[in-house]
């Protein structure tokens, strides 16, 4: 069977800018050769068993030359494989995709080009700069800035480009920005003409500077804005002040936020933060381990229908309860309609609903004390109550229930353990703008990962944002300042507190 090589444009970095066709071939490929720039966020779409070759970095070797890349594509194509060559932006815009196409054609390998969204247009667009505008630019020219304007041997005629009245878009130009600006000004472009640079365009790390042709280099240097960036020269650059659509929709743009919750639960929070513009460092400091079955859990499962009140104090608890019932061939029908089911908050109620049980009671405050308040007025003397929860949970709820005469069965269904952390990620987290804590255990376990110096940096550096008063108290006891606390003790409440803190 003959193989096929797809030369795929990955788009500029925002994974949503991959084409539908690109996604289709990427998810089916059995080998993917990729460049780092623009493709990071997409590699997760590959089949888990796909061969992945980072052509920019080979283990223990220098980066592959273009000839080696061509040969690697030809070899895999001839071997009958389904190959994707994933390239940042568009494969035929300064991507050397054309050289790969020629090599494949010469070797008689079937191939296909899947164009992509080029950074030349999309990075400016994400910074609020249209490359054309009816009133100010009727053309745009895309040029590489890689060639030295001071050398005679170059192919780029900067003086001619200076005379074209439209927008000039320069890729790979940061290294020679000074020389390019000088050459353009010398050939007649006004020094005061608007000019912009957009670094890491369309990604969470996007930054941009809008200045003039004469001042752009200095202003980029002042804020440390370098490669990879797209430079836009022309009147359109000034429109960024009016069309800054992305900043308005993204109150966390430019901020790095650490997510400490367990890996299995982090993805929703991560996606929400990224949608608001944050760069997210996922540093799971805890992991959830189900407690092995024992007599307590057996009794609970057998007698679940006998309790008057069933209380769940976390989403994990709800999941674990139904997992245990399922292991014994039982489901939501094991509960009886007369039983009162209490969920500590909306996330727990949502998990219960997913298992087919509607919570009868969700307190106003999503903390253990809130449950006791919500039960005020109910006769608890002699009531049989199940509290299904984490091993390390606080005793307050159970003590409170017992204090009111309830007969409480407290069953630990899971425990939270410290997750091992990559030192690089810890370093990244300590340099972040904000750290989020979704439970006391996330506070304790992050601190457990840090040495003395790390703790001092955590206390002095990032803003600390907590989901609620118990988590805040744990943080304060550990010597941290809590800068913001969620008013509603949920993940959306935590995000709202983070956004308000960033704005203030
Ligand atoms: N084929 C690519 C360009 C490859 S050349 C495309 O169509 O976009 C590499 C240059 O592209 C970088 O030096 C930089 O100038 C630009 N570039 C690529 N991705 C970028 C991004 N996300 N933000 C800013 N510039 C980017």
């Amino acid at each position: 069977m003959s193989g096929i090589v797809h030369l795929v444009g990955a788009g500029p970095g925002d994974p949503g800018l991959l084409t539908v066709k690109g996604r289709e071939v990427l998810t089916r490929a059995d080998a993917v050769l990729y460049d780092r720039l623009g493709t990071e966020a997409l590699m997760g779409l590959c089949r888990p068993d796909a061969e992945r070759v980072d052509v920019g970095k080979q283990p223990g070797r220098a980066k592959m030359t273009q000839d080696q890349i061509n040969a690697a594509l030809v070899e895999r194509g001839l071997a009958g494989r389904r190959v994707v060559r994933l390239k940042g932006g568009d494969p035929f815009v300064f991507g050397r995709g054309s050289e790969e196409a020629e090599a494949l054609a010469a070797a008689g390998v079937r191939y296909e080009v899947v164009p992509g969204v080029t950074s030349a247009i999309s990075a400016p667009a994400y910074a609020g700069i249209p490359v054309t505008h009816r009133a100010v630019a009727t053309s745009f020219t895309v040029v590489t800035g890689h060639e030295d304007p001071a050398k005679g041997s170059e192919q780029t005629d900067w003086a001619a480009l200076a005379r074209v009245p439209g927008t000039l878009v320069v890729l790979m130009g940061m290294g020679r920005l000074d020389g390019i600006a000088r050459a353009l000004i010398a050939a007649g472009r006004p020094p005061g003409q608007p000019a912009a640079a957009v670094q890491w365009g369309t990604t969470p790390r996007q930054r941009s500077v809008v200045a003039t042709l004469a001042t752009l280099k200095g202003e980029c240097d002042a804020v440390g804005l370098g490669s990879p960036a797209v430079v836009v020269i022309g009147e359109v650059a000034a429109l960024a002040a009016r069309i800054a659509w992305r900043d308005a929709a993204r109150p966390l743009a430019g901020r790095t936020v650490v997510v400490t919750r367990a890996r299995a639960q982090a993805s929703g929070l991560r996606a929400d933060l990224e949608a608001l513009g944050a760069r997210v460092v996922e540093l799971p400091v805890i992991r959830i381990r189900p407690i092995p079955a024992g007599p307590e859990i057996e009794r609970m499962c057998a007698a679940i229908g006998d309790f008057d009140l069933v209380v769940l104090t976390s989403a994990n608890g709800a999941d674990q309860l139904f997992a245990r019932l399922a292991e014994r061939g039982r489901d939501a029908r094991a509960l009886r309609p007369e039983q009162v089911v209490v969920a500590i908050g909306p996330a727990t109620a949502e998990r219960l609903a997913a298992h087919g049980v509607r919570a009868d009671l969700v307190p106003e405050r999503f903390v253990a004390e809130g449950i006791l308040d919500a039960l005020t007025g109910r006769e608890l003397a002699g009531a049989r109550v199940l509290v299904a929860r984490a091993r390390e949970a606080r005793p307050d709820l159970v003590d409170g229930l017992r204090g009111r005469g309830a007969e409480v069965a407290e069953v630990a269904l899971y425990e939270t353990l410290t997750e091992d952390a990559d030192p690089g990620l810890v370093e990244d987290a300590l340099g972040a703008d904000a750290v989020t804590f979704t439970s006391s255990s996330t506070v304790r376990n992050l601190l457990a990962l840090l040495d003395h110096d790390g703790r001092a940096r955590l206390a002095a550096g990032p803003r600390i944002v907590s989901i609620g008063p118990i988590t805040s108290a744990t943080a304060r006891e550990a010597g941290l300042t809590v800068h913001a606390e969620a008013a509603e003790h949920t993940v959306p409440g935590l995000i709202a507190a983070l956004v308000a803190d960033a704005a203030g």
Side-chain angles (χ1 to χ4, degrees):
M1 190 196 76
S2 89
I4 182 160
V5 177
H6 307 271
L7 302 176
V8 178
D14 176 346
L17 296 180
L18 175 67
T19 63
V20 174
K21 188 166 190 178
R23 184 188 170 103
E24 186 183 300
V25 295
L26 184 61
T27 51
R28 296 184 65 201
D30 48 38
V32 180
L33 284 80
Y34 64 101
D35 297 301
R36 194 62 67 76
L37 184 59
T39 64
E40 295 95 334
L42 298 177
M43 294 308 290
L45 292 173
C46 301
R47 272 176 20 204
D49 62 326
E51 178 197 12
R52 292 150 201 245
V53 184
D54 178 351
V55 305
K57 202 173 112 214
Q58 287 283 286
R61 272 188 281 157
K63 70 184 226 169
M64 287 168 86
T65 63
Q66 189 61 48
D67 284 342
Q68 287 170 327
I69 296 170
N70 295 351
L73 292 173
V74 166
E75 178 195 316
R76 286 169 179 75
L78 290 176
R81 302 181 66 189
R82 186 180 284 281
V83 184
V84 162
R85 169 70 177 110
L86 189 63
K87 307 170 75 74
D90 179 272
F92 281 2
V93 176
F94 303 126
R96 306 190 71 170
S98 45
E99 292 163 55
E100 293 165 4
E102 285 175 322
L104 291 164
V109 175
R110 197 156 64 98
Y111 72 95
E112 174 181 73
V113 179
V114 182
V117 173
T118 180
S119 65
I121 298 171
S122 57
Y126 268 53
I129 302 172
V131 291
T132 71
H133 184 83
R134 215 158 65 96
V136 299
T138 55
S139 72
F140 65 95
T141 306
V142 181
V143 59
T144 169
H146 203 59
E147 301 194 349
D148 190 346
K151 286 205 181 119
S153 65
E154 60 180 303
Q155 296 178 42
T156 313
D157 184 346
W158 291 99
L161 288 170
R163 286 190 296 273
V164 177
T167 305
L168 202 53
V169 178
V170 187
L171 267 53
M172 297 176 277
M174 291 311 283
R176 301 197 195 281
L177 196 48
D178 222 11
I180 291 169
R182 257 184 242 282
L184 291 171
I185 291 168
R189 284 259 176 156
Q193 183 164 79
V198 186
Q199 184 183 29
W200 294 116
T202 81
T203 75
R205 298 156 78 184
Q206 175 176 321
R207 292 201 301 162
S208 54
V209 163
V210 180
T212 66
L213 190 48
T215 60
L216 185 62
K217 162 82 173 137
E219 297 213 11
C220 286
D221 287 350
V223 297
L225 190 155
S227 290
V230 170
V231 174
V232 187
I233 299 160
E235 295 301 327
V236 290
L239 294 172
R242 300 213 305 263
I243 316 182
W245 59 274
R246 213 159 167 256
D247 293 350
R250 297 158 37 94
L252 298 178
R255 295 182 73 82
T256 300
V257 178
V258 182
V259 170
T260 53
R261 65 189 329 208
R263 197 181 307 278
Q265 291 183 305
S267 62
L269 176 54
R270 173 187 200 125
D272 287 345
L273 292 172
E274 283 178 348
L276 293 169
R279 183 172 88 88
V280 173
V281 176
E282 218 181 287
L283 178 70
V285 296
I286 55 173
R287 80 191 142 88
I288 306 298
R289 188 171 73 180
I291 292 190
E296 256 192 345
I297 289 178
E298 276 324 322
R299 263 202 306 279
M300 175 196 77
C301 288
I304 187 98
D306 297 343
F307 294 102
D308 299 307
L309 211 64
V310 174
V311 182
L312 291 153
T313 60
S314 67
N316 283 316
D319 284 339
Q320 283 300 321
L321 176 66
F322 285 94
R324 300 320 170 82
L325 288 172
E327 283 161 15
R328 289 157 186 81
R330 310 189 73 189
D331 61 16
R333 289 167 295 181
L335 291 158
R336 287 176 302 106
E338 315 78 82
Q339 290 180 296
V340 175
V341 177
V342 184
I344 195 167
T348 306
E350 200 180 295
R351 292 315 302 152
L352 279 171
H355 296 291
V357 174
R358 200 177 52 80
D360 298 292
L361 202 64
V362 179
E364 272 170 34
R365 288 185 309 133
F366 312 139
V367 290
E369 290 72 8
I371 295 180
L372 290 169
D373 291 347
L375 293 171
T376 306
R378 244 175 233 264
E379 182 52 56
L380 290 179
R384 283 158 304 171
V385 181
L386 169 66
V387 178
R389 62 196 320 190
R391 169 167 280 163
E392 60 280 1
R394 289 184 303 134
D396 309 52
L397 173 62
V398 169
D399 290 351
L401 290 168
R402 289 199 175 126
R404 287 172 55 186
E407 196 185 295
V408 183
E410 188 185 9
V411 182
L413 293 177
Y414 65 95
E415 58 190 337
T416 47
L417 302 179
T418 304
E419 181 72 287
D420 296 332
D422 170 339
L425 270 181
V426 173
E427 197 49 42
D428 212 4
L430 290 173
D433 297 296
V435 176
T436 59
F437 290 118
T438 48
S439 63
S440 289
S441 56
T442 57
V443 177
R444 282 193 293 266
N445 286 285
L446 176 58
L447 289 163
L449 282 174
L450 302 175
D451 57 14
H452 183 74
D453 177 52
R455 287 171 180 226
R457 285 169 63 201
L458 180 66
R463 308 284 293 176
I464 305 287
V465 185
S466 134
I467 198 165
I470 310 301
T471 304
S472 298
T474 306
R476 289 194 190 102
E477 277 161 32
L480 299 174
T481 302
V482 177
H483 301 96
E485 181 183 288
E488 193 198 74
H489 314 317
T490 59
V491 167
L494 177 79
I495 294 171
L498 185 68
V499 169
D501 184 63

